[in-house]
Amino acid sequence: MQCLANKRILLGITGGVAAYKSAELVRRLQDQGAEVRVVMTRGSQQFITPLTLQALSGHPVSTDLLDPAAEAAMGHIELARWAELVLVAPATADFMARLAHGHAGDLLTTLCLATDARVMLAPAMNQAMWSNPATQRNQEVLRGQGVALLGPAVGLQACGDNGPGRMLEVPELVDGVCRAFPEPVLNGKRVMITAGPTREALDPVRYLSNHSSGKMGFALAEAASHAGAEVVLVSGPTSLPCPAGVTRIDVESAQSMLEAVHQRVIDCDLFIACAAVADYRPATVQEHKIKKSVDTDDDALQLTLVRNPDIVASVAALKQRPFVVGFAAETRDVLSYAADKRMRKGLDLIVANDVSDTEIGFNSDDNAVTVLGENLEQSFAQVSKQSLSHSLITLFAQQLDAKTTK
Ligand code: PMT
């Protein structure tokens, strides 16, 4: 199925070496059914010619804000209104800076300001330029304005450096654009998602926690929201920005996560427990900082831990309960441990995640999982957590529908 059938995509190309990939990008967007029009900055024309993009897109390429001939054909405001999505790929550091500050000194920045359509950027630059605090500030500003960033990827760069700043590959960009036009599979549904780690206090300055970054849970929240759901995200401590349109409730400990969940879960159709909740917490939280023992030779410190409440199992045990999906983070015998957890906790589905592989577990950008249900075992190969979330949400919605129409 073509995910961009009849969608009108405006592709902006700025002056980076990755511009050579934009020709292929036009073709792959068209393969998905999109109509593509191209706008090029002056810098991009040093890397690839407008003639190439005109031949591929089948439309004249716009390059100049003050070109009477181009304005007579399709003026910049008409072009901004025509677009259902603007994708700038590659987006240079300079372009991001100008867009973040509302400049409209050329055709592409003007279009981005004038359009009501979603704007997506595929950053492409040297790793030091990407890591520079100015670029990092600009990307924060852009995200805050609702601009979506696809990438950048980490890897070898044209200049010989290695690090973050490479433009995503064309299939990943097409996938990102497709995700901007999701099927409204959760329209009218209420979804609650837990994400991130919990922190279990030992004393006023120390806690027990784990390596969950929240990336998987936040990506699920964004995908569920794009699929039409009203989403509440109950999150442990993370540094991630809240996805647009999602209601976020910040918590610290397992106990506070449990309370936040039960305050609102009763109205929900779907509950997804992605958080890495600490199974145990210190039996007592010391009022003052625990001091190193100086008057004994004993180097050991004994801590007594007590079991935390099981949040997902408590939701699954409710009389009036939502469709419940858990995650299982395992390092061996992944599927059998996950299947056992699903049964013990009374879950509809469980997502088995092999966290022994650092590329697909805690704090990684990618994931690969297997979803287990009563008569279901479906595997998803390694992709970005955003892309995986889109597929998982589609599956959860199907399974939820199947259960409610049973
Ligand atoms: O956040 P990221 O860095 O992106 O990493 C994602 C992830 C690895 C955290 C995620 O994909 C994942 O696997 N989450 C589940 C982590 C976990 O705690 O797994 P578990 O097998 O210990 O727990 C099983 C299920 O019970 C989970 O749904 C968990 O949320 C839930 N649980 C566990 C303990 C508890 N006291 N209450 C719970 O609700």
Side-chain angles (χ1 to χ4, degrees):
M1 201 184 82
Q2 291 180 312
C3 65
L4 298 175
N6 305 317
K7 295 285 183 261
R8 300 184 300 274
I9 311 290
L10 187 70
L11 174 64
I13 306 177
T14 70
V17 65
Y20 79 92
K21 294 184 186 171
S22 307
E24 174 74 6
L25 181 57
V26 171
R27 275 282 193 251
R28 300 291 78 86
L29 290 169
Q30 288 170 331
D31 287 349
Q32 290 299 329
E35 186 182 344
V36 183
R37 286 177 182 260
V38 179
V39 172
M40 297 179 72
T41 63
R42 194 171 304 159
S44 71
Q45 295 167 52
Q46 303 293 318
F47 293 94
I48 185 167
T49 68
L51 195 60
T52 305
L53 275 309
Q54 176 174 317
L56 291 170
S57 68
H59 295 286
V61 171
S62 309
T63 54
D64 208 339
L65 184 57
L66 305 172
D67 176 353
E71 285 289 302
M74 194 189 240
H76 63 276
I77 296 295
E78 276 169 282
L79 208 48
R81 287 190 186 137
W82 172 86
E84 288 177 84
L85 183 140
V86 177
L87 169 65
V88 181
T92 59
D94 175 67
F95 181 79
M96 288 176 63
R98 288 187 290 122
L99 194 60
H101 291 90
H103 288 213
D106 67 2
L107 180 59
L108 190 53
T109 45
T110 304
L111 285 169
C112 288
L113 282 192
T115 190
D116 286 334
R118 185 130 201 252
V119 177
M120 298 183 123
L121 307 183
M125 66 197 72
N126 165 269
Q127 53 84 24
M129 291 173 75
W130 172 255
S131 304
N132 188 290
T135 308
Q136 288 305 303
R137 260 197 321 274
N138 291 335
Q139 66 127 343
E140 289 291 329
V141 169
L142 288 165
R143 285 185 202 274
Q145 290 167 359
V147 173
L149 264 64
L150 299 175
V154 179
L156 192 62
Q157 306 196 300
C159 57
D161 278 5
N162 210 323
R166 276 173 62 100
M167 187 165 88
L168 289 186
E169 295 302 328
V170 168
E172 294 170 302
L173 292 177
V174 173
D175 182 59
V177 173
C178 286
R179 273 188 274 119
F181 296 101
E183 293 287 309
V185 288
L186 287 176
N187 234 356
K189 297 277 192 282
R190 293 202 177 101
V191 176
M192 180 180 275
I193 299 171
T194 66
T198 62
R199 283 182 184 170
E200 310 299 328
L202 276 163
D203 68 14
V205 296
R206 302 184 181 92
Y207 53 80
L208 301 177
S209 190
N210 58 64
H211 294 292
S212 170
S213 60
K215 287 178 190 171
M216 189 70 237
F218 277 56
L220 284 164
E222 184 168 47
S225 171
H226 285 171
E230 202 179 296
V231 183
V232 174
L233 177 63
V234 181
S235 175
T238 79
S239 56
L240 301 176
C242 184
V246 167
T247 303
R248 172 176 179 166
I249 301 173
D250 287 315
V251 296
E252 286 255 335
S253 63
Q255 188 59 42
S256 59
M257 186 173 273
L258 178 82
E259 284 158 22
V261 163
H262 280 281
Q263 263 171 28
R264 303 175 80 150
V265 78
I266 202 78
D267 293 333
C268 288
D269 303 283
L270 170 62
F271 177 70
I272 306 172
C274 185
V277 183
D279 288 322
Y280 292 90
R281 67 178 184 281
T284 50
V285 182
Q286 300 298 321
E287 195 184 339
H288 297 288
K289 186 179 169 196
I290 301 168
K291 303 302 278 181
K292 244 185 297 188
S293 178
V294 285
D295 39 67
T296 112
D297 285 342
D298 192 357
D299 279 342
L301 170 72
Q302 303 284 344
L303 290 176
T304 305
L305 303 180
V306 292
R307 209 187 259 273
N308 265 329
D310 191 313
I311 301 168
V312 72
S314 72
V315 172
L318 291 172
K319 229 189 204 142
Q320 190 195 325
R321 52 164 263 176
F323 189 84
V324 182
V325 181
F327 271 67
E330 305 292 348
T331 53
R332 64 192 166 99
D333 299 329
V334 177
L335 292 190
S336 65
Y337 279 133
D340 178 58
K341 258 181 201 169
R342 186 182 85 79
M343 295 306 287
R344 250 187 312 111
K345 295 181 187 237
L347 313 179
D348 294 294
L349 299 176
I350 197 153
V351 183
N353 195 171
D354 182 351
V355 291
S356 67
D357 181 344
T358 53
E359 281 196 9
I360 57 166
F362 287 97
N363 200 23
S364 58
D365 289 330
D366 289 356
N367 208 349
V369 297
T370 301
V371 181
L372 303 176
E374 198 180 325
N375 293 306
L376 178 80
E377 180 175 330
Q378 190 166 334
S379 294
F380 295 86
Q382 182 174 338
V383 284
S384 69
K385 284 180 176 169
Q386 282 74 19
S387 180
L388 175 64
S389 296
H390 182 70
S391 309
L392 289 178
I393 289 295
T394 305
L395 176 66
F396 300 163
Q398 282 164 0
Q399 295 288 311
L400 166 62
D401 274 356
K403 187 168 178 183
T404 41
T405 52
K406 235 184 196 174

